[in-house]
Amino acid sequence: MLTRSLPLLIALIVLAVAIYAFVSWRRTPTRAKEVLIKVFLVLCSAIAAFFALASLYAVVDGNTPVLELAASCAIVGVVGLLVTLVCRHFFKKHHPHYAYEPTEKARPITNKPDALSIITKVLNYLNDHRRR
């Protein structure tokens, strides 16, 4: 049953090697691991969800061969997701500066007044000149 999902497994392995080789060539191996973890979290989640839905449809339709194929591919997606989560745990454990997601980027403080302060200044100016 799981041999039917062997092409999917081989494609994931080839993709992982290609991403790691390219990013480590362009940047650093640490950055390559980070990119690989992010890509495989999304990819394995999508694979697991898609084939789980396909399995559900095959159960409703009563199509056993499609159910076996979709279920085995969903298992590959779930196992890939679990392996990715374990790898992310150990990556963050060994690289503590990656442990937290970056916060919102700082924005420069401008001296430009907002619309409310402009209106307030105009009204105060008019009110001051009306009293005279």
Side-chain angles (χ1 to χ4, degrees):
M1 183 171 121
L2 289 176
T3 58
R4 292 182 180 178
S5 62
L6 193 60
L8 177 63
L9 188 60
I10 292 172
L12 288 174
I13 291 170
V14 169
L15 181 66
V17 169
I19 289 173
Y20 184 79
F22 181 75
V23 177
S24 64
W25 171 65
R26 295 288 295 165
R27 303 285 178 159
T28 62
T30 305
R31 177 69 178 152
K33 292 173 189 172
E34 179 189 9
V35 169
L36 200 59
I37 288 170
K38 287 182 181 180
V39 166
F40 268 77
L41 274 175
V42 172
L43 186 63
C44 288
S45 298
I47 288 171
F50 175 75
F51 284 111
L53 288 174
S55 298
L56 183 64
Y57 180 73
V59 166
V60 170
D61 196 30
N63 196 344
T64 306
V66 173
L67 175 63
E68 290 177 1
L69 177 65
S72 64
C73 290
I75 290 170
V76 168
V78 169
V79 169
L81 185 60
L82 291 175
V83 168
T84 305
L85 290 173
V86 168
C87 290
R88 184 178 74 171
H89 170 74
F90 284 109
F91 178 77
K92 287 184 176 183
K93 183 178 178 183
H94 294 294
H95 300 92
H97 56 283
Y98 286 103
Y100 302 104
E101 296 294 324
T103 58
E104 184 179 330
K105 292 184 179 180
R107 295 183 211 150
I109 298 174
T110 61
N111 292 331
K112 297 178 184 177
D114 59 337
L116 184 61
S117 65
I118 291 174
I119 292 171
T120 305
K121 287 181 182 180
V122 168
L123 289 176
N124 287 339
Y125 178 78
L126 291 175
N127 194 22
D128 290 342
H129 287 307
R130 199 172 87 192
R131 292 181 188 164
R132 292 181 186 178

